Amino acid sequence: MHRVVVLALDGVYPFELGIPQRVFGTAPDLYEVLTCAVEGHAVRTSADFTISTQHGPELLATADTVVVPPYASAPDSARLPPQVADAFRLIPAGARVVSICTGAFALAAAGLLDGRRVTTHWNQAARFSALFPRVTLDAEVLFVDDGDILTSAGAVSGVDVCLHLIRKDHGSRLANHVARRCVVPPWRDGGQAQYIEQPVPEPSAAGTSATREWALERLAEPLTLTDLAAHARMSLRTFARRFQDEAGISPGRWLTQQRVGRARELLESSDLPVELVAHQVGFATAASLRQHLHAAIGVSPQAYRHTFRAAAAPAQVTSRRSVTSPATRTTTAT
């Protein structure tokens, strides 16, 4: 049983506080989710109510994964209150630490993010970089997986990163099941750019969503920007601009992401040779698949398949109390 401990700091956002229980709690035979507070058991939220927890900070010492949701005073200082700093010192060296939204401010103030690539809410990116210049901030992605430290962007990105962890631990089949139970997509396309404040397109303006659906059904084909623009009945320039506005990334990068995602599903769920997987998702050769998969997550197709086959076995459940290290570490997620 993998223990997830959620640290509720003063001013915690109630919605994000509940995400770990909602997502990990959908697999109760594999994850135990508990919540703790730094001082006493009553925690002020960012709303007009307080919450009561059953555990104090000592619970952190038993965690396999620690999740820090956002809290109202996060952007105010590069230093943690002494009692919060003391609580962070209780986290075991082998535990994963995850932040949701501005929870990354607490991790950075605790010194956990120096030299790391991280993300947080796009609206707080400038403030974060000013307070923590030794941290490399990427404000364009929904979450960053840096092995034992994972950071996510605003609100629902907390769902994304929790589903990602389930996928790492137990494979896509369970992650997809949990996503369906929570009525959320198992993987969201694009990054934070699509959510940054920008002018809303005119209601009469054609969108690119239908073309994206069309392309997803034809990933094995050698699709080009011209093909996509023709399907959308737009000029190349208009289509590329509108696609970037809606999806947050270029059409070419989006196609590569979809092909890599589909390849990961096939590597996890089938015994198809790597060459055949490559052809079924639209990469010309196995070498091309290896290149793109390594660029996306830092491992080869064989290593990825081995990791998720191992994760699917009950004996491979990662726990600090019974540790089995995964074969590889995902270093980047966008």
Side-chain angles (χ1 to χ4, degrees):
M1 182 70 71
H2 185 103
R3 174 169 288 180
V4 179
V5 176
V6 184
L7 176 59
L9 297 174
D10 184 54
V12 67
Y13 284 41
F15 174 78
E16 290 88 336
L17 176 65
I19 287 174
Q21 174 61 53
R22 187 65 185 92
V23 178
F24 292 114
T26 305
D29 295 335
L30 299 172
Y31 296 96
E32 176 188 33
V33 185
L34 301 171
T35 304
C36 72
V38 171
E39 288 187 344
H41 302 301
V43 180
R44 182 180 61 89
T45 73
S46 63
D48 62 341
F49 57 86
T50 61
I51 61 169
S52 179
T53 65
Q54 298 181 14
H55 306 282
E58 65 279 356
L59 187 69
L60 292 168
T62 71
D64 299 307
T65 294
V66 174
V67 181
V68 182
Y71 55 109
S73 60
D76 291 344
S77 175
R79 292 186 177 182
L80 293 173
Q83 65 273 25
V84 177
D86 290 342
F88 269 90
R89 295 188 188 99
L90 297 174
I91 299 174
R96 292 187 301 210
V97 183
V98 182
S99 68
I100 300 175
C101 193
T102 56
F105 281 79
L107 272 59
L112 300 179
L113 303 185
D114 288 353
R116 302 255 191 174
R117 174 176 170 262
V118 308
T119 194
T120 190
H121 194 290
W122 62 265
N123 195 38
Q124 295 296 332
R127 177 67 171 160
F128 185 94
S129 294
L131 288 173
F132 307 108
R134 289 183 291 184
V135 182
T136 301
L137 181 69
D138 184 348
E140 295 185 357
V141 298
L142 297 177
F143 64 85
V144 173
D145 180 341
D146 196 27
D148 58 338
I149 300 285
L150 296 94
T151 53
S152 60
V156 183
S157 298
V159 176
D160 296 326
V161 75
C162 289
L163 286 172
H164 170 71
L165 285 175
I166 292 177
R167 182 172 183 168
K168 281 186 70 174
D169 292 346
H170 302 288
S172 63
R173 182 172 298 178
L174 179 62
N176 291 343
H177 168 74
V178 170
R180 286 193 298 271
R181 290 287 302 273
C182 296
V183 198
V184 295
W187 184 270
R188 286 196 293 159
D189 300 330
Q192 291 197 69
Q194 60 190 309
Y195 302 107
I196 295 174
E197 294 174 357
Q198 56 187 324
V200 177
E202 292 297 324
S204 59
T208 64
S209 60
T211 297
R212 294 200 296 274
E213 291 296 326
W214 176 82
L216 287 175
E217 297 174 358
R218 296 165 175 79
L219 288 179
E221 301 176 13
L223 298 173
T224 66
L225 179 59
T226 300
D227 296 330
L228 298 175
H231 180 270
R233 299 181 180 179
M234 300 179 190
S235 68
L236 290 176
R237 183 175 180 180
T238 298
F239 177 80
R241 183 181 68 250
R242 193 155 295 162
F243 194 104
Q244 179 79 36
D245 290 343
E246 294 178 8
I249 54 176
S250 69
R253 185 179 173 190
W254 179 85
L255 266 178
T256 298
Q257 283 188 355
Q258 304 315 306
R259 286 172 168 149
V260 168
R262 178 59 180 152
R264 290 169 68 172
E265 293 178 6
L266 291 175
L267 290 169
E268 294 173 27
S269 61
S270 77
D271 294 316
L272 293 174
V274 173
E275 186 78 33
L276 189 53
V277 170
H279 287 305
Q280 289 203 5
V281 302
F283 290 122
T285 64
S288 180
L289 170 58
R290 292 187 188 98
Q291 176 185 351
H292 287 293
L293 187 67
H294 192 276
I297 59 176
V299 299
S300 68
Q302 292 88 346
Y304 183 83
R305 172 172 273 167
H306 176 73
T307 297
F308 280 92
R309 290 296 171 86
Q316 299 297 312
V317 176
T318 304
S319 171
R320 192 184 65 82
R321 292 174 289 280
S322 177
V323 177
T324 301
S325 298
T328 60
R329 172 181 291 178
T330 301
T331 56
T332 304
T334 59

